[in-house]
Amino acid sequence: MIARRFHREIYPATAVDGAVQVFAKFARFEVADEGEHRVVRITAKRPERELRIAQELGNYALGLTRREAIS
């Protein structure tokens, strides 16, 4: 399992949740609010894929955050 932390002042919950929905077919996700962060724990069928999925999840969440800022 690998975890990504998204600071609430930077990433809206809708961006993080949207990214999780897009990648749900590739891994299992647990989302929790911890202090100032929204934490996403990622478990893939193959552990070596977890890092790649975590990186792509972060990129996608950032893109959704940017899209919301422009709207």
Side-chain angles (χ1 to χ4, degrees), residues 19-31 40-43 53-54 57:
V20 167
Q21 288 177 355
V22 167
F23 288 92
K25 61 186 169 188
F26 300 108
R28 186 171 56 90
F29 296 90
E30 297 173 35
V31 181
V40 180
R41 290 179 180 82
I42 303 153
T43 305
I53 293 169
L57 180 80

Side-chain angles (χ1 to χ4, degrees), residues 7-24:
H7 199 282
R8 292 178 203 229
E9 289 184 20
I10 300 171
Y11 295 91
T14 55
V16 176
D17 294 343
V20 167
Q21 288 177 355
V22 167
F23 288 92

